[in-house]
């Protein structure tokens, strides 16, 4: 049975919040799209888990893109996820990658771009250097600098009962500043004891009980996580009309169609001249009714 879930919880007395994400088929689907080398599979799993954990912190409807870029054998690894926990992602690499390659071996001189895009409102972008031994450490540094909130992440990927799993946990002090460093450390130490097979195989209730049975945990409704590309013909059409009309007709004149390609899932949406004309006509009549 597939288990792709995100759980959020609260240690109210300790002013610390937590998250647990456990992915099996959602992770397996992203791996199945290309023949990724093993360390890149791990990196994608870590990105997938982190994006899920981060989107769960969104206080509005929107999406987060976590994009690793570098001049190493892996030029790009990107995951995009939204408030509905629909995630998609892809990576590009060239040549051989050793089985024991670290994030630095793969990315070379690189950085992590975190883009938060609300459905309504300004987008926010943060650029983080790759300071740390792995993605969780890099993100912990990001949280400390950007949000000034003590945050710890535990992310594991690997095989469990013959199938690939990716899972992770997050602890973060509540922004109201009522938590004590000792309480956070206490929860950190308990979480440090989590084993891969527990993260991959146990349900949230059982796992939280095993780790924190002396502390009061309030567990919220779980959310289902899904590997799903949110691209569509409608979205592509909406993107076309945001471009200057003459630019679009220039493309039409040269190529006979306007084609938008989704890098995440490989789908191409093509529009011919009558379709493009209709799109711009619709957009204009909509503008008239608005103003
Ligand atoms: Zn797509």
């Amino acid at each position: 049975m597939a288990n792709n879930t995100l759980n959020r919880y609260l240690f109210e007395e300790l002013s610390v919040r937590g998250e647990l994400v456990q992915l099996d088929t959602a992770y397996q689907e992203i791996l199945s799209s290309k023949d990724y080398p093993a360390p890149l599979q791990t990196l994608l799993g870590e990105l997938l888990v982190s994006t899920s954990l981060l989107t769960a912190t969104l206080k509005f409807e929107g999406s987060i893109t976590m994009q690793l870029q570098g001049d190493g054998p892996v030029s790009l690894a990107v995951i995009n996820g939204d408030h509905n926990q629909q995630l998609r992602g892809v990576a590009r690499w060239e040549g051989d990658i050793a089985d024991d390659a670290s994030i630095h071996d793969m990315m070379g001189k690189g950085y992590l771009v975190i883009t938060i895009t609300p459905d309504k409102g300004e987008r926010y972008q943060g650029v983080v250097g790759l300071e740390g031994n792995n993605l969780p450490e890099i993100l912990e540094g990001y949280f400390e600098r950007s949000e000034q909130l003590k945050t710890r992440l535990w992310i594991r990927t690997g095989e469990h009962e013959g199938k690939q799993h990716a899972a992770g946990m997050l602890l973060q002090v509540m922004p109201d500043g009522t938590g004590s460093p000792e309480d956070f450390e206490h929860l950190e130490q308990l979480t440090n004891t989590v084993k891969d097979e527990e993260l991959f195989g146990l349900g949230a209730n059982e796992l939280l009980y095993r780790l924190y049975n002396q502390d009061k945990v309030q567990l919220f409704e779980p959310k289902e996580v899904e590997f799903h590309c949110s691209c569509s013909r409608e979205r592509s059409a909406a993107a076309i009309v945001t471009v200057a009309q003459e630019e679009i007709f220039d493309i039409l004149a040269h190529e006979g169609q306007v084609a938008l390609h989704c890098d995440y899932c490989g789908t191409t949406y093509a529009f011919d001249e009558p379709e493009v004309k209709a799109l711009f006509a619709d957009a204009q009549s909509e503008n008239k009714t608005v103003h």
Side-chain angles (χ1 to χ4, degrees), residues 169-204:
M169 299 182 89
L170 171 147
L171 284 179
Q172 187 173 63
V173 295
M174 296 297 284
D176 61 9
T178 55
S180 79
E182 291 73 25
D183 285 342
F184 191 81
E185 207 174 294
H186 159 72
L187 292 175
E188 252 185 307
Q189 281 170 1
L190 294 175
T191 316
N192 280 338
T193 66
V194 72
K195 297 186 189 75
D196 287 10
E197 64 260 33
E198 292 175 323
L199 263 176
F200 298 152
L202 291 182

Side-chain angles (χ1 to χ4, degrees), residues 64-126:
I64 292 186
T65 304
M66 299 209 6
Q67 184 165 330
L68 282 163
Q69 286 174 304
D71 63 4
V74 178
S75 54
L76 173 81
V78 57
I79 300 282
N80 167 270
D82 66 12
H83 60 278
N84 288 323
Q85 288 294 323
Q86 292 193 329
L87 303 169
R88 55 183 177 161
V90 74
R92 278 190 218 119
W93 81 101
E94 248 172 44
D96 289 332
I97 292 172
D99 280 345
D100 62 351
S102 70
I103 185 170
H104 302 289
D105 298 332
M106 286 189 277
M107 303 308 307
K109 201 170 165 295
Y111 45 91
L112 170 67
V113 185
I114 300 175
T115 311
I116 301 173
T117 314
D119 287 347
K120 290 172 194 139
E122 290 280 294
R123 77 154 50 170
Y124 161 86
Q125 202 162 58

Side-chain angles (χ1 to χ4, degrees), residues 229 231 262 265:
C229 195
C231 72
C262 174
C265 66

Side-chain angles (χ1 to χ4, degrees), residues 134-282:
N134 48 46
L135 189 63
E137 282 184 20
I138 292 163
L139 281 171
E140 285 164 7
Y142 162 76
F143 274 110
E144 213 128 313
R145 283 189 300 272
S146 74
E147 310 207 7
Q148 268 132 40
L149 289 176
K150 181 82 181 156
T151 307
R152 277 289 317 270
L153 292 153
W154 291 261
I155 302 180
R156 311 269 173 81
T157 61
E159 223 168 86
H160 177 70
E161 293 175 347
K163 294 261 167 68
Q164 288 290 334
H165 286 250
M169 299 182 89
L170 171 147
L171 284 179
Q172 187 173 63
V173 295
M174 296 297 284
D176 61 9
T178 55
S180 79
E182 291 73 25
D183 285 342
F184 191 81
E185 207 174 294
H186 159 72
L187 292 175
E188 252 185 307
Q189 281 170 1
L190 294 175
T191 316
N192 280 338
T193 66
V194 72
K195 297 186 189 75
D196 287 10
E197 64 260 33
E198 292 175 323
L199 263 176
F200 298 152
L202 291 182
N205 270 313
E206 201 179 343
L207 179 60
L208 296 183
Y209 182 75
R210 273 205 204 177
L211 291 176
Y212 314 115
N213 55 62
Q214 289 148 7
D215 298 288
K216 215 174 118 197
V217 195
Q218 188 191 347
L219 185 62
F220 302 113
E221 274 291 296
K223 250 188 167 173
E224 197 190 330
V225 184
E226 195 187 357
F227 183 72
H228 174 84
C229 195
S230 52
C231 72
S232 67
R233 197 167 173 82
E234 291 69 43
R235 282 192 178 204
S236 304
I240 287 177
V241 295
T242 64
V243 181
Q245 219 175 109
E246 44 193 89
E247 214 174 296
I248 294 291
F249 280 97
D250 204 41
I251 296 170
L252 270 178
H254 284 98
E255 293 169 26
Q257 61 173 16
V258 178
L260 267 73
H261 183 76
C262 174
D263 280 340
Y264 287 107
C265 66
T267 309
T268 299
Y269 300 96
F271 298 83
D272 61 17
E273 195 176 326
E275 286 173 318
V276 171
K277 279 186 174 156
L279 289 179
F280 278 108
D282 279 356

